[in-house]
Amino acid sequence: MKCFERLVMAHINHNLPVKLYALQFAYRSNKSMADAISLALHSSLEHLENKDAYVRLLFIDYSSALNTIIPNNLIPKLRNLGLSTQICSWIFNFLTDRTQAVKIGDQLSSTITLSTGAPQGCVLSPLLYSLYTHDCVAKLPSNSIYKFADDTIIVGRILGNDESEYKEEIKNLVAWCEDNNLSLNVSKTKELVVDFRRSSGPHDPIYISGAQLEQVKSFKFLGVNITNELTWSNQAESTAKKAHQCLYFLRKLKKFGLSPKTLTNFYRCTVESTFLGCITTWYGSCPVQDRKKLQKIVNLAQHITQTNLPSLDSLYTTRCRSSAARIIKNKTHPAKTLFDPLPSERRFRSLKIRTARFGNSFFPTVIRLLNGS
C-alpha cells in the first residue's frame, strides 16, 4: 500500500502549482527546518533595523493536527488546486470509513469507523495535511506565517505602537482554524516579544478564546532556543550538554578497543550531528566564549579518537555555503530573492546592515562568504 501511496503522491505533486508551498518547509525537496528558522529570524532582524520597530513572535500549537482533517473540507481545496475528479474521489475514499481497533495483550477492543483525520504513518498523510493548510497564510503585509508541518510561527513586524494588523492577523488565524476544524492548544501557544527600544514598556497580552497567552523570554522552535534578546547562549549551552553526553559513550567505546576510524564514525553520527542541527541559524551570532566552549568538546573528541576532526568554524562555513547553493538552485525558494547577483554575476548584492546583530545572521553572513569577503 505504501508503494501505491508513493505513486499517488508523485502524481499529486506533478499536478500542483509550482509556488504552492511558499512558506511551508516540511516534506518539500530542497527545504529544511533551518530554512524556516533562518527566514523567520531574517524577517525579524531586518525589521528591527528600522527606527521605533519591534517584533512579536507567536508560536502556534495545534491539538492533534493530523487527526482533525475533515475530508469534506479537503476535497474542494484539492479541486481548486487543479487535481482531477478521479484523484479527489480516491483520496476521499482513502480517508473515510476507516476501521480501527486497539489491542492490549490478548484483548482486542470493538471496532469503530473513522471518517476524520489522516492515518498515522501513511506516506500521503503529511502531504494531505500540507494541502489542507496551504491557504493558512498571512493576510496583512506587516505579518508573515512560517510553517514546518504543524509547527507554525506568526511574525508580527510592528512600527511605533500600532499593533492593529498583528492582532487582526491572529483573529484571522483563529477564524481559519474554526472553519477548518483545527483546534488551537492555547496553553502551549506562546508569545515572544523582541523589543530593543529604550522606551519600551510592558506589552499588552494576547487573548484567544478568552484565554490569555503566556509571554515567554525564550522558546524552543524546531529544536532551536530563540530568546527575546536574540542571543544564543541558551542554544550553545543545550547543544554542549547533549554533546557531552555523547562523549561518555565515545570514551566507553575507546576502552573496548575500537579503531580510530570506527570512533571517528561514531563521533560524526552522534556528537558532530548534535552540533550541525540548524547550526547555520545560530552559530554565526554566537558569542566567542560560547564558541570556545563548543570547540573544546571537539578538541576532547579529537583526543579520544586520536584523529584530526574539523573545527566548528569550518563546519559552519561549509554548511552555510551548501545551504546557499541549495537555495540559489531552487527557483521557488522564498529566500532566493535575497541572493541578487550584480551585473558582473560574480558577486551578490550586499544587504543593508546597521547592527552587528543583523550582520552576523545567516543571510548577510553567507552573502559575504560567497563574495569572498
Side-chain angles (χ1 to χ4, degrees), residues 13-14 27 33 40 46 101 103 109 137 144 147 159 171 175 181 184 213 217 219 273 329 336 359 363-364 366 372:
N13 285 327
H14 179 73
Y27 319 119
M33 288 190 296
E46 187 178 42
K103 185 176 183 180
S109 72
V137 295
S144 298
K147 296 176 285 186
L159 282 173
K171 290 181 181 179
N181 197 47
L184 285 172
L213 300 183
K217 293 184 178 180
F219 187 85
S273 62
K329 290 179 181 179
K336 191 181 187 310
F363 289 106
V366 79

Side-chain angles (χ1 to χ4, degrees), residues 28-211:
R28 307 305 302 161
S29 60
N30 294 322
K31 290 186 179 181
S32 65
M33 288 190 296
D35 292 338
I37 300 169
S38 295
L39 270 170
L41 290 174
H42 178 80
S43 174
S44 303
L45 290 166
E46 187 178 42
H47 178 70
L48 290 169
E49 296 286 278
N50 299 313
K51 184 179 179 181
D52 203 23
Y54 65 99
V55 176
R56 298 185 75 157
L57 306 175
L58 188 65
F59 300 94
I60 303 295
D61 186 271
Y62 296 108
S63 298
S64 301
L66 282 175
N67 295 328
T68 56
I69 295 176
I70 303 296
N72 286 324
N73 292 348
L74 173 63
I75 299 306
K77 295 184 180 185
L78 299 181
R79 286 175 178 156
N80 290 335
L81 291 173
L83 296 184
S84 65
T85 302
Q86 290 84 353
I87 195 68
C88 290
S89 299
W90 186 91
I91 292 172
F92 183 81
N93 185 271
F94 175 74
L95 293 177
T96 54
D97 296 328
R98 307 189 319 272
T99 57
Q100 177 176 297
V102 177
K103 185 176 183 180
I104 301 178
D106 296 330
Q107 303 298 317
L108 184 67
S109 72
S110 57
T111 301
I112 62 172
T113 302
L114 298 176
S115 293
T116 59
Q120 297 287 339
C122 288
V123 174
L124 276 175
S125 296
L127 173 63
L128 295 178
Y129 176 80
S130 296
L131 295 174
Y132 190 69
T133 59
H134 82 275
D135 55 344
C136 178
V137 295
K139 301 292 193 298
L140 301 168
S142 63
N143 307 306
S144 298
I145 297 180
Y146 299 93
K147 296 176 285 186
F148 190 89
D150 60 338
D151 290 298
T152 305
I153 175 174
I154 298 179
V155 178
R157 299 177 292 273
I158 301 164
L159 282 173
N161 291 301
D162 185 8
E163 300 180 346
S164 57
E165 289 193 357
Y166 173 68
K167 293 179 179 178
E168 184 66 23
E169 197 68 68
I170 296 174
K171 290 181 181 179
N172 292 338
L173 177 70
V174 173
W176 181 90
C177 289
E178 291 175 353
D179 292 340
N180 290 274
N181 197 47
L182 262 71
S183 176
L184 285 172
N185 190 336
V186 179
S187 63
K188 292 185 178 180
T189 297
K190 309 294 181 183
E191 187 188 38
L192 189 146
V193 181
V194 183
D195 190 351
F196 298 113
R197 299 177 301 169
R198 293 181 181 179
S199 59
S200 63
H203 296 273
D204 294 335
I206 298 296
Y207 291 87
I208 293 180
S209 302

Side-chain angles (χ1 to χ4, degrees), residues 20 36-37 62 80 92 95 112 186 215-217 274 279 302 305 313 350:
L20 175 63
I37 300 169
Y62 296 108
N80 290 335
F92 183 81
L95 293 177
I112 62 172
V186 179
Q215 288 186 4
V216 295
K217 293 184 178 180
T274 301
I279 190 174
Q302 193 166 256
T305 60
D313 286 344
S350 299

